[in-house]
Amino acid sequence: MYIGRGLAQQKQLSRWELYNWAWSIACDVAIYKFCGLRGVLYLVISVLLGFGLHPGAAHFIQEHYTFRDGQETYSYYGSGNYFWLNIGYHNEHHDFPLVPWTKLPEIKRLAPEYYDDLAYHTSWCAVLYMFITSSLLAPQSRVVRTLDAHRYARKNLKVPSINEAKQLESAKDEFVARLKLAADMSMEKARARSIAKAKQQ
Protein backbone atom coordinates (compact mmCIF):
# COMPACT_ATOMS: atom_id res chain seq x y z
CA MET A 1 0.00 0.00 0.00
CA TYR A 2 2.75 2.44 0.92
CA ILE A 3 4.66 1.69 -2.29
CA GLY A 4 1.50 2.41 -4.28
CA ARG A 5 0.85 5.63 -2.38
CA GLY A 6 4.43 6.81 -2.89
CA LEU A 7 4.23 6.12 -6.63
CA ALA A 8 0.88 7.95 -6.86
CA GLN A 9 2.41 10.99 -5.13
CA GLN A 10 5.51 10.79 -7.38
CA LYS A 11 7.63 10.82 -4.24
CA GLN A 12 11.40 10.65 -4.62
CA LEU A 13 12.94 7.73 -2.76
CA SER A 14 15.36 8.56 0.05
CA ARG A 15 18.45 6.50 0.90
CA TRP A 16 16.68 4.85 3.86
CA GLU A 17 13.70 3.96 1.71
CA LEU A 18 16.04 2.26 -0.76
CA TYR A 19 17.55 0.31 2.14
CA ASN A 20 13.99 -0.65 3.15
CA TRP A 21 13.22 -1.87 -0.37
CA ALA A 22 16.37 -4.00 -0.41
CA TRP A 23 15.53 -5.49 3.02
CA SER A 24 11.91 -6.16 2.05
CA ILE A 25 12.89 -7.88 -1.19
CA ALA A 26 15.47 -10.00 0.68
CA CYS A 27 12.77 -11.04 3.19
CA ASP A 28 10.34 -11.89 0.39
CA VAL A 29 12.98 -14.05 -1.32
CA ALA A 30 13.66 -15.82 2.00
CA ILE A 31 9.94 -16.44 2.54
CA TYR A 32 9.65 -17.87 -0.97
CA LYS A 33 12.68 -20.10 -0.41
CA PHE A 34 11.53 -21.47 2.96
CA CYS A 35 7.72 -21.34 2.58
CA GLY A 36 7.22 -21.53 -1.17
CA LEU A 37 4.59 -19.73 -3.21
CA ARG A 38 1.95 -20.39 -0.53
CA GLY A 39 3.89 -18.22 1.95
CA VAL A 40 4.10 -15.32 -0.51
CA LEU A 41 0.41 -15.65 -1.45
CA TYR A 42 -0.49 -15.65 2.24
CA LEU A 43 1.22 -12.26 2.65
CA VAL A 44 -0.37 -10.83 -0.52
CA ILE A 45 -3.86 -11.96 0.51
CA SER A 46 -3.29 -10.58 4.04
CA VAL A 47 -2.47 -7.15 2.59
CA LEU A 48 -5.54 -7.23 0.33
CA LEU A 49 -7.76 -8.17 3.27
CA GLY A 50 -6.14 -5.69 5.64
CA PHE A 51 -6.37 -2.75 3.24
CA GLY A 52 -9.45 -3.90 1.32
CA LEU A 53 -12.92 -2.43 0.93
CA HIS A 54 -14.15 -2.94 4.48
CA PRO A 55 -14.93 -0.34 7.15
CA GLY A 56 -11.91 -1.04 9.36
CA ALA A 57 -9.48 -0.34 6.52
CA ALA A 58 -11.09 3.07 5.99
CA HIS A 59 -9.19 4.43 8.98
CA PHE A 60 -6.09 4.72 6.76
CA ILE A 61 -8.03 7.21 4.62
CA GLN A 62 -9.83 8.86 7.55
CA GLU A 63 -6.64 9.70 9.43
CA HIS A 64 -4.59 11.77 6.99
CA TYR A 65 -6.45 12.37 3.74
CA THR A 66 -7.47 16.03 3.48
CA PHE A 67 -11.26 16.26 3.46
CA ARG A 68 -11.25 19.91 4.51
CA ASP A 69 -8.64 22.44 3.44
CA GLY A 70 -6.61 23.69 6.38
CA GLN A 71 -6.98 20.52 8.45
CA GLU A 72 -4.41 17.77 8.12
CA THR A 73 -5.55 14.97 10.47
CA TYR A 74 -9.05 13.73 11.30
CA SER A 75 -10.67 11.69 14.03
CA TYR A 76 -13.51 9.19 13.72
CA TYR A 77 -16.16 9.06 16.42
CA GLY A 78 -18.28 6.03 15.68
CA SER A 79 -19.09 2.53 16.89
CA GLY A 80 -16.07 1.07 15.06
CA ASN A 81 -13.87 2.36 17.87
CA TYR A 82 -15.27 -0.37 20.14
CA PHE A 83 -13.93 -3.04 17.80
CA TRP A 84 -10.74 -1.34 16.58
CA LEU A 85 -9.37 -0.23 19.97
CA ASN A 86 -10.21 3.50 19.66
CA ILE A 87 -8.05 3.84 16.56
CA GLY A 88 -10.44 6.54 15.34
CA TYR A 89 -9.26 9.04 17.98
CA HIS A 90 -6.48 10.13 15.68
CA ASN A 91 -6.12 13.82 16.53
CA GLU A 92 -6.03 12.89 20.19
CA HIS A 93 -3.38 10.27 19.46
CA HIS A 94 -1.24 12.82 17.60
CA ASP A 95 -1.49 15.29 20.46
CA PHE A 96 -0.72 12.67 23.12
CA PRO A 97 1.11 9.75 21.46
CA LEU A 98 2.09 8.15 24.77
CA VAL A 99 -1.48 7.93 26.10
CA PRO A 100 -2.80 4.32 25.86
CA TRP A 101 -5.68 3.60 23.49
CA THR A 102 -8.06 3.01 26.41
CA LYS A 103 -7.71 6.66 27.53
CA LEU A 104 -8.04 8.44 24.16
CA PRO A 105 -11.81 9.10 24.54
CA GLU A 106 -11.05 10.67 27.92
CA ILE A 107 -8.75 13.22 26.25
CA LYS A 108 -11.60 14.36 23.99
CA ARG A 109 -13.97 14.52 26.97
CA LEU A 110 -11.52 16.60 29.05
CA ALA A 111 -10.60 19.05 26.28
CA PRO A 112 -13.67 19.59 24.05
CA GLU A 113 -12.52 23.11 23.18
CA TYR A 114 -9.63 21.62 21.19
CA TYR A 115 -11.52 18.84 19.38
CA ASP A 116 -15.21 19.73 19.00
CA ASP A 117 -14.59 22.40 16.35
CA LEU A 118 -12.40 20.14 14.18
CA ALA A 119 -13.89 18.27 11.24
CA TYR A 120 -14.34 14.57 12.00
CA HIS A 121 -15.95 11.42 10.61
CA THR A 122 -18.78 9.34 12.06
CA SER A 123 -18.87 6.55 9.43
CA TRP A 124 -16.02 4.60 7.90
CA CYS A 125 -18.42 3.39 5.20
CA ALA A 126 -19.05 7.01 4.27
CA VAL A 127 -15.29 7.63 4.19
CA LEU A 128 -14.84 4.79 1.69
CA TYR A 129 -17.78 6.02 -0.39
CA MET A 130 -16.44 9.60 -0.50
CA PHE A 131 -12.94 8.44 -1.39
CA ILE A 132 -14.19 6.32 -4.29
CA THR A 133 -16.81 8.72 -5.68
CA SER A 134 -15.42 12.22 -5.01
CA SER A 135 -13.41 13.84 -7.80
CA LEU A 136 -11.65 15.97 -5.16
CA LEU A 137 -10.10 12.94 -3.39
CA ALA A 138 -7.24 10.79 -4.65
CA PRO A 139 -4.12 9.08 -3.26
CA GLN A 140 -2.43 12.49 -3.56
CA SER A 141 -4.95 14.11 -1.17
CA ARG A 142 -2.46 14.25 1.67
CA VAL A 143 -0.06 16.82 3.05
CA VAL A 144 3.47 15.87 1.98
CA ARG A 145 6.56 17.46 3.45
CA THR A 146 10.16 17.35 2.32
CA LEU A 147 12.78 15.83 4.61
CA ASP A 148 14.30 19.33 5.08
CA ALA A 149 10.90 20.72 6.19
CA HIS A 150 10.52 17.82 8.64
CA ARG A 151 13.98 18.42 10.11
CA TYR A 152 13.33 22.17 10.41
CA ALA A 153 10.04 21.54 12.25
CA ARG A 154 11.64 19.03 14.64
CA LYS A 155 14.40 21.53 15.46
CA ASN A 156 12.46 24.80 15.63
CA LEU A 157 8.79 24.06 16.33
CA LYS A 158 8.63 22.92 19.94
CA VAL A 159 5.78 22.70 22.44
CA PRO A 160 5.84 25.95 24.44
CA SER A 161 6.35 26.04 28.18
CA ILE A 162 3.42 26.96 30.47
CA ASN A 163 4.57 30.59 30.70
CA GLU A 164 5.05 30.82 26.92
CA ALA A 165 1.63 29.27 26.38
CA LYS A 166 0.00 31.88 28.64
CA GLN A 167 1.61 34.66 26.61
CA LEU A 168 0.34 33.09 23.38
CA GLU A 169 -3.20 32.53 24.70
CA SER A 170 -4.42 36.03 23.85
CA ALA A 171 -3.48 35.65 20.19
CA LYS A 172 -4.78 32.08 19.88
CA ASP A 173 -8.50 32.84 19.45
CA GLU A 174 -7.87 35.37 16.69
CA PHE A 175 -5.49 32.98 14.92
CA VAL A 176 -7.97 30.06 15.12
CA ALA A 177 -10.78 32.24 13.77
CA ARG A 178 -8.63 33.37 10.84
CA LEU A 179 -7.56 29.77 10.16
CA LYS A 180 -11.18 28.55 10.12
CA LEU A 181 -12.21 31.39 7.81
CA ALA A 182 -9.35 30.55 5.42
CA ALA A 183 -10.28 26.84 5.49
CA ASP A 184 -13.96 27.59 4.78
CA MET A 185 -13.06 29.93 1.92
CA SER A 186 -10.77 27.29 0.41
CA MET A 187 -13.55 24.71 0.59
CA GLU A 188 -15.97 27.10 -1.10
CA LYS A 189 -13.44 27.74 -3.88
CA ALA A 190 -12.95 24.00 -4.36
CA ARG A 191 -16.75 23.50 -4.55
CA ALA A 192 -17.07 26.36 -7.05
CA ARG A 193 -14.31 24.88 -9.23
CA SER A 194 -16.02 21.48 -9.09
CA ILE A 195 -19.41 22.97 -10.10
CA ALA A 196 -17.82 25.00 -12.91
CA LYS A 197 -16.01 21.91 -14.21
CA ALA A 198 -19.23 19.89 -14.11
CA LYS A 199 -21.09 22.60 -16.08
CA GLN A 200 -18.34 22.67 -18.74
CA GLN A 201 -18.70 18.92 -19.26
Side-chain angles (χ1 to χ4, degrees):
M1 186 197 81
Y2 285 97
I3 291 170
R5 192 176 76 195
L7 292 172
Q9 293 175 328
Q10 299 177 351
K11 182 179 181 294
Q12 296 297 316
L13 290 173
S14 71
R15 181 171 49 120
W16 284 103
E17 286 170 319
L18 291 171
Y19 291 157
N20 182 266
W21 272 59
W23 176 255
S24 298
I25 290 169
C27 289
D28 290 340
V29 169
I31 289 169
Y32 180 76
K33 179 174 178 168
F34 294 109
C35 302
L37 186 60
R38 291 175 82 180
V40 175
L41 286 175
Y42 171 80
L43 295 178
V44 171
I45 292 169
S46 296
V47 168
L48 293 176
L49 289 174
F51 298 112
L53 286 174
H54 62 80
H59 83 87
F60 291 103
I61 300 168
Q62 158 248 306
E63 291 170 352
H64 288 286
Y65 281 74
T66 50
F67 290 82
R68 176 180 177 180
D69 289 351
Q71 185 173 327
E72 183 175 345
T73 58
Y74 300 81
S75 286
Y76 157 79
Y77 305 126
S79 59
N81 281 314
Y82 294 111
F83 304 102
W84 276 274
L85 308 178
N86 289 329
I87 199 170
Y89 289 86
H90 197 65
N91 285 321
E92 294 81 355
H93 161 70
H94 269 263
D95 291 342
F96 300 95
L98 299 180
V99 170
W101 64 270
T102 54
K103 301 293 184 187
L104 291 175
E106 188 71 5
I107 291 173
K108 183 181 185 307
R109 191 187 68 75
L110 291 171
E113 67 274 19
Y114 292 101
Y115 300 107
D116 286 356
D117 291 335
L118 296 175
Y120 60 89
H121 299 283
T122 57
S123 169
W124 277 330
C125 292
V127 169
L128 284 174
Y129 179 80
M130 284 188 292
F131 185 73
I132 293 169
T133 61
S134 174
S135 61
L136 298 175
L137 292 171
Q140 300 89 342
S141 302
R142 289 175 56 106
V143 175
V144 179
R145 294 182 182 81
T146 64
L147 183 58
D148 289 337
H150 173 73
R151 286 177 176 155
Y152 174 85
R154 289 293 298 261
K155 181 179 178 183
N156 297 295
L157 303 177
K158 305 203 182 289
V159 175
S161 67
I162 293 174
N163 290 333
E164 290 171 330
K166 286 179 181 175
Q167 292 173 358
L168 294 170
E169 191 67 30
S170 59
K172 184 189 83 170
D173 291 338
E174 181 189 350
F175 173 76
V176 169
R178 285 167 54 198
L179 189 64
K180 284 180 184 174
L181 180 62
D184 290 340
M185 289 175 65
S186 295
M187 280 299 285
E188 289 304 318
K189 287 179 184 176
R191 284 195 194 100
R193 283 195 300 269
S194 178
I195 292 168
K197 188 177 178 183
K199 284 182 179 177
Q200 288 175 354
Q201 294 174 348

